[in-house]
Amino acid sequence: MEKFVIEGGRPLYGEIKIQSAKNAVLPLLAASVLTDERVVIRACPRIADVLNMAQILAELGCKITFAGEDLYIDSADAANHEIPAALAKELRSSVFMLGSVLSRFGRARIAYPGGCDIGLRPIDLHLCGLRRLGVRIEEEGGYINCSCGRLIGADVQLDFPSVGATENIMLAAAKAEGTTVIRNAAKEPEIADLQDFLNRMGGRVSGGGTATVIVEGVRSLHGAEYTPLSDRIEAGTFLIASAMCGGELVLSNARAENVSALLDKLREISCKIHAVDDKIYIKSERRLSPKLVETSPYPGFPTDLQAPITALACICEGSTVVVENLFETRFKHVPELIRMGADITVRGRNAFVRGVPRLHGADVCAGDLRGGAALALAALSAEGASAVTDLRYIDRGYAQFEYKLRAVGARIRRVRI
């Protein structure tokens, strides 16, 4: 066990380089199984989720090599179609492997995937989409067993624009016979990134980032080198950190258009923001309260930034209503924020936040990835010292979290318990 020890109350000044997106890299790693040629993921963050997915690939028989910031994957000798239960239970994104493993081997076996406990997150949409492509699925004893002959393209109508289901169907359809049309597809930037990667491998995918994704199946895919897009959630986390702590930050390797919903909220509370090329500049001044924050699929406000902006609302002037529309148990950070002096009432999917002049230091515990980040931000802005424990959650999505913050003036260090 490890914890962050944080001394709050220091403004942040300087520049932070944003990592490649966790939620883009994971499906790219799954896609690497679709070819027996070498794949290179440039600027690949060494976060826990990426390391777990790399271990899953190794268990399938892939050769995994990190060289500096790059990850090399050789799937030529991959032969195993079973995804180990212990790894699947650590990583929800392991479900992405179904589409690519089925395409490669004609069968796949996986335990129900795990990850952060933020709600039910059923994978029915994944399975329904795969069935449309001709996959036979049996569920028994906590395992999903899939088999197929040649996958056949089909029209797939998603009941909800699920990012994971959209990506899984894209992976399964990439080498299917015929054309697959995914309707009501997720529009997140990571969908377009997966499309671009598959096309770099010789695929024929279009419509990524729109409600309709079209995948024309090809006989084979080849190796590729690719640099994933930057992490909009990490960028959003540090933008909120700046708004909470004050000072001036520059985020490099950041795309303003991918965090536009957050930038609108930060401007609403009087932050000064401008973007040039791949840099976002933010200066925090008087913090007025955002009246309403309501999560929704992209391009709406991202659920992954709900916990950090709830922490920000705690120290704004006025009251905020935070509505969580996507996950039913994503307020686990609220009791910990209350320990720090926050005034929050949760009713169902709604959190009513009344701003206080300042939070105070406390010992708090992360309960999930983004909630853990929110607690760290709260501690950075609080008066006095805090400890944030259970860093395994934060490490799932942020590389060198404390180092980046220390470089811009924060007092934060990692300590073994």
Side-chain angles (χ1 to χ4, degrees), residues 49 60 97 133 166 205 301 314 377:
D49 274 10
L60 297 179
M97 298 302 303
L133 300 182
T166 300
V205 186
F301 193 90
C314 291
L377 301 193

Short mmCIF file of all heavy atoms in Angstrom, two decimals, residues 49 60 97 133 166 205 301 314 377:
data_model
loop_
_atom_site.label_atom_id
_atom_site.label_comp_id
_atom_site.label_asym_id
_atom_site.label_seq_id
_atom_site.Cartn_x
_atom_site.Cartn_y
_atom_site.Cartn_z
N ASP A 49 -3.26 0.13 -16.07
CA ASP A 49 -4.18 -0.49 -17.02
C ASP A 49 -3.46 -0.95 -18.28
O ASP A 49 -3.76 -2.02 -18.83
CB ASP A 49 -5.31 0.48 -17.38
CG ASP A 49 -6.46 0.43 -16.40
OD1 ASP A 49 -6.33 -0.21 -15.34
OD2 ASP A 49 -7.52 1.05 -16.69
N LEU A 60 -1.54 -14.49 -24.11
CA LEU A 60 -2.05 -15.03 -25.38
C LEU A 60 -0.92 -15.53 -26.27
O LEU A 60 -1.18 -16.21 -27.27
CB LEU A 60 -2.84 -13.96 -26.14
CG LEU A 60 -4.12 -13.43 -25.47
CD1 LEU A 60 -4.77 -12.38 -26.34
CD2 LEU A 60 -5.10 -14.57 -25.18
N MET A 97 -10.81 -7.49 -25.88
CA MET A 97 -10.09 -8.59 -26.49
C MET A 97 -11.01 -9.57 -27.20
O MET A 97 -10.57 -10.30 -28.07
CB MET A 97 -9.26 -9.34 -25.44
CG MET A 97 -8.18 -8.52 -24.76
SD MET A 97 -6.97 -7.82 -25.90
CE MET A 97 -6.37 -9.29 -26.71
N LEU A 133 -22.72 -10.46 -35.73
CA LEU A 133 -21.67 -10.81 -36.69
C LEU A 133 -21.48 -12.32 -36.82
O LEU A 133 -20.59 -12.77 -37.54
CB LEU A 133 -20.35 -10.17 -36.27
CG LEU A 133 -20.32 -8.64 -36.17
CD1 LEU A 133 -18.93 -8.16 -35.79
CD2 LEU A 133 -20.75 -7.98 -37.47
N THR A 166 -18.90 -0.13 -29.20
CA THR A 166 -18.55 0.36 -30.54
C THR A 166 -17.17 -0.15 -30.94
O THR A 166 -16.96 -0.66 -32.04
CB THR A 166 -18.58 1.90 -30.58
OG1 THR A 166 -19.89 2.36 -30.24
CG2 THR A 166 -18.21 2.42 -31.96
N VAL A 205 -12.12 1.55 -42.54
CA VAL A 205 -13.10 2.00 -41.55
C VAL A 205 -13.36 3.48 -41.79
O VAL A 205 -12.44 4.25 -42.05
CB VAL A 205 -12.59 1.79 -40.10
CG1 VAL A 205 -13.68 2.12 -39.09
CG2 VAL A 205 -12.09 0.36 -39.91
N PHE A 301 -20.56 16.58 -21.22
CA PHE A 301 -19.57 16.60 -20.14
C PHE A 301 -19.20 15.17 -19.76
O PHE A 301 -20.07 14.35 -19.46
CB PHE A 301 -20.11 17.35 -18.92
CG PHE A 301 -19.05 17.67 -17.92
CD1 PHE A 301 -18.35 18.87 -18.01
CD2 PHE A 301 -18.70 16.78 -16.92
CE1 PHE A 301 -17.34 19.16 -17.10
CE2 PHE A 301 -17.68 17.06 -16.03
CZ PHE A 301 -16.99 18.25 -16.12
N CYS A 314 -16.85 22.32 -4.71
CA CYS A 314 -16.84 22.44 -3.25
C CYS A 314 -16.27 23.77 -2.77
O CYS A 314 -16.61 24.24 -1.68
CB CYS A 314 -16.03 21.30 -2.63
SG CYS A 314 -16.78 19.67 -2.80
N LEU A 377 -6.74 16.36 -5.89
CA LEU A 377 -6.92 17.78 -6.23
C LEU A 377 -7.48 18.55 -5.04
O LEU A 377 -7.06 19.68 -4.76
CB LEU A 377 -7.87 17.93 -7.43
CG LEU A 377 -7.48 17.26 -8.74
CD1 LEU A 377 -8.35 17.79 -9.88
CD2 LEU A 377 -6.01 17.44 -9.07
#
